Amino acid sequence: MKNTDIISCEPMDDEEIFIVPFLEDFAYMKGNTIINSDLNPELKKIKCGIMLPRVNYNKKLNEVVIYSINNPQNIYLYKNGKVKVIPVGIDNHKNGPIAAINFKAENNTLYYRAKDGSIIAYNVITKISRKCNSNADLSEVIFVRDNIFITIANRKIVTIYVLENDYSFRKVRSIESLEDIYSVVIDKNHNLWIAQDQGGVLYYDQPLNKAFKSKKPVKFLEDCIINYILADQDNNIWFATRNNGLFFIAEAPFHRYVNMPLENNSSYITSIAANSKNIFLGYNITSGGLYHSGILTDLVFKKNKKIENKAVYANDMFAYFGQTDDVFEYDISKKKVRSLHVNTTIKNLIPYRRNKLLICASDGIKLYDPSLHTIKRIWNQRIYTALPYSSDSIFTGTFKDLYKLNIVTRKVKPFLNGYYFTDLKQLTDNLYLGASNSKGILLFNNKKIIAIIGEEQGLKDVQIKKVTVENKKTFWASTENGLIRIELTRGKPIIKTFTITDGLPSDNISGVVIKGDSIFVGTSKGMGILSIKRLLTQQKHINKKVIINSVSVDGKEYVDPFPNLTSEEVQNDLTFNLSFLDYASQGKINFKYKLEGLNNKWQTTNSSKVIFSTLPPGKYTFKVYGLGYNGKQSYAYTQIPFEIKPQFWQTIGFRILFIISILAVLLGAVTFYFRKKKR
């Protein structure tokens, strides 16, 4: 680039990027090469004078439109390395100075504001002018996208117009800002952003080209001055700020935040439970939360904020919060809290028949009867979890073994040894789930282990906190590295992992609650509410391919477009420099590759460089996928063929000649031997 002061860049469908510098030296980037007017003289046709030009990308025609805002002499259309020049042909002496508002390439119409303030639609081909309706005050147009025009008055009032029938401007609405407006942007989805002069940007979550209704905007980056907002092709949002750098929000977390702006929903959730109407949350402090009909209400139990909630259970009458040293009973109808005075470290709370409660604690397992307000100790072992499996018996787990305990007779039998279970759930009549602290998930009946779901079956995290049953064949596992959905089949289970890239507030999951199609997820950064259907129908692949930036062959580097890559060295050395622009993964990406012709087995690496050395002569094809943060891979692989040419002594001709020579020598020796013997 001759000029590094860049005003804007316009991405195009054919992976070109049109570059608009401050000085009049336009360029475009294709592959890894920047092409300016010295390399492509076509770009020298674009001349807009000393004023900054207006540059728009027309997606329908896949071309960039360039023109001067003040008294444009020409319209310039860039596409595929060519520039088309269309003379405007307006007589400025007759009509006075004009202010260009927009150029619509589909019908070759330039919209401009005349000297008398009227809006004129002027066809640059036919030279026919037509006056547009006078109801639109477009004297202060500051932003145009497609058929949407934005004006601003007194630095506070934004007015939105939509162009209809090519000659009629319809006013959509006016919005008055409480603060002075710094800038206004319409993103590619036709949503409105208003950046405020004192910091922050307001987002209106509804397309302007559809029926616009009054809706409270969502505010982002309150402490930053926003220069520009971009929604990229994956609907990730980028914020360019003044003196604060570049901010990025991936599409899924962005829509989660916009569609569920709950107040006080940022606490560290350590446990979650539900009854028929409400969701109950336990935090890493002595307080909790009650969620109902879109409202989250705080529940406070103690002043000591260092004591956290270990477990929560709720029925339609009471909610129980098991904390580090006590259990609190919350009367839902009376909204009153009382302590059970357990005075021990709580590990879990498990429902038992007739609204009773099993309290798993460091000094044993206890049975609480809410009707009598009594607590009875059942077993004096350190208990982490439990699960009733008959009218009088329960599974109960210590930090290393699982037992069968009869509550009536108090008899205990060892059942499964060597497993530290963090949670137990019933899947069917005689099939149970055990969440293990280090070995994944166990399926067992009341006699033996049926199956283990671990790393070999595709489980990415074998340290499970909680399991939640969706139906007889499907359940969810909560881990510190995401939320896992497991569907049992006759063969290998179907395992899907969901993370922040899918809309979760955090990857650290304490547990979930399922109500219909909604899944309520307790995380270290608040509660997420997501649609199960939407989670399961999200793209299975990342809509990008790996970019091979360069290939080094025997110390010489090549960039795209790559020539026919060959090496004639015996000690050959090839290095593939890769990148995978999945921004939602925030740098946590890997590459899956193989070298056909050498080994058809796929390998995985987190390095952006893949090196091969001393390959035998032959033809090869390097193929590579990109892997995102949540394990999703690029929709297709990227490939490059290359050839290692043999040395002269490695060629087939040389080998044939060598074999013939050996045979000739042997034949001569044999002939000599028999002649000598005959003599």
Side-chain angles (χ1 to χ4, degrees), residues 440-660:
I441 298 171
L442 280 74
L443 280 76
F444 59 92
N445 57 24
N446 57 12
K447 293 183 179 180
K448 63 180 181 179
I449 294 174
I450 304 299
I452 298 177
I453 302 175
E455 290 181 348
E456 292 183 0
Q457 289 70 36
L459 200 63
K460 294 183 178 179
D461 192 339
V462 294
Q463 190 172 3
I464 311 299
K465 292 183 179 180
K466 293 286 183 181
V467 284
T468 304
V469 176
E470 181 181 340
N471 55 51
K472 293 181 179 181
K473 293 185 177 181
T474 308
F475 53 93
W476 299 72
S478 302
T479 76
E480 290 187 353
N481 296 295
L483 180 62
I484 304 171
R485 185 179 188 266
I486 302 170
E487 183 179 351
L488 300 178
T489 64
R490 291 183 178 180
K492 191 175 181 180
I494 300 172
I495 299 176
K496 296 181 179 179
T497 302
F498 303 97
T499 64
I500 55 174
T501 61
D502 299 290
L504 300 181
S506 166
D507 289 347
N508 191 348
I509 314 298
S510 60
V512 302
V513 167
I514 297 173
K515 287 181 175 289
D517 179 57
S518 297
I519 184 166
F520 299 80
V521 187
T523 80
S524 59
K525 293 184 179 179
M527 181 176 66
I529 304 176
L530 299 97
S531 162
I532 296 176
K533 183 178 180 181
R534 182 175 177 181
L535 279 176
L536 298 180
T537 55
Q538 289 183 135
Q539 274 190 326
K540 296 181 180 179
H541 298 92
I542 299 171
N543 191 30
K544 288 183 175 66
K545 292 175 67 176
V546 171
I547 298 172
I548 300 179
N549 299 310
S550 67
V551 182
S552 296
V553 182
D554 302 329
K556 187 174 182 180
E557 190 173 31
Y558 301 91
V559 297
D560 189 25
F562 296 103
N564 294 326
L565 299 174
T566 60
S567 174
E568 298 181 0
E569 299 292 330
V570 177
Q571 302 294 328
N572 51 73
D573 187 7
L574 284 89
T575 301
F576 295 88
N577 297 294
L578 313 173
S579 60
F580 184 49
L581 303 181
D582 179 36
Y583 299 110
S585 293
Q586 300 181 36
K588 299 177 181 178
I589 59 174
N590 293 302
F591 298 94
K592 186 173 77 171
Y593 69 92
K594 70 176 179 179
L595 188 60
E596 288 187 352
L598 180 69
N599 188 348
N600 284 328
K601 185 178 179 180
W602 290 97
Q603 301 180 65
T604 302
T605 179
N606 60 4
S607 174
S608 61
K609 290 187 176 182
V610 178
I611 302 173
F612 298 98
S613 298
T614 319
L615 293 172
K619 293 184 178 181
Y620 300 92
T621 301
F622 175 70
K623 295 183 177 180
V624 59
Y625 284 101
L627 300 177
Y629 172 52
N630 55 2
K632 292 180 183 177
Q633 71 178 28
S634 53
Y635 72 96
Y637 56 74
T638 303
Q639 67 177 10
I640 285 187
F642 64 92
E643 182 180 2
I644 304 297
K645 291 188 176 182
Q647 300 295 315
F648 75 95
W649 44 266
Q650 293 176 311
T651 62
I652 295 177
F654 177 83
R655 291 176 181 176
I656 293 173
L657 182 61
F658 180 76
I659 293 171
I660 291 173

Side-chain angles (χ1 to χ4, degrees), residues 9 74 103-104 124-125 129 151 182 191 204-205 242 308 331 366 391-392 418-419 439 534 568 618 626 631:
C9 295
N74 298 296
F103 179 75
K104 192 173 181 181
V124 296
I125 303 298
S129 299
T151 68
Y182 181 71
N191 294 318
Y204 293 81
D205 187 29
R242 182 207 294 171
E308 69 176 23
D331 189 313
K366 305 172 184 180
S391 59
D392 58 0
Y419 295 99
K439 298 181 180 179
R534 182 175 177 181
E568 298 181 0

Side-chain angles (χ1 to χ4, degrees), residues 274-291:
N275 60 12
S276 60
K277 296 180 180 179
N278 308 303
I279 306 292
F280 295 91
L281 307 173
Y283 299 146
N284 65 337
I285 54 177
T286 53
S287 64
L290 185 156
Y291 174 80

Side-chain angles (χ1 to χ4, degrees), residues 11-14 56-65 78-79 104-107 145-148 163 166 188 190 209:
M12 304 180 71
D13 279 350
D14 50 6
N56 296 321
Y57 171 61
N58 188 308
K59 186 174 179 62
K60 291 181 181 179
L61 302 177
N62 189 32
E63 63 184 13
V64 175
V65 181
Y78 168 80
K79 184 176 182 179
K104 192 173 181 181
E106 292 91 329
N107 58 9
R145 182 180 287 277
D146 299 330
N147 287 345
I148 302 172
L163 177 63
D166 294 333
K188 75 180 187 68
H190 299 105
N209 55 355

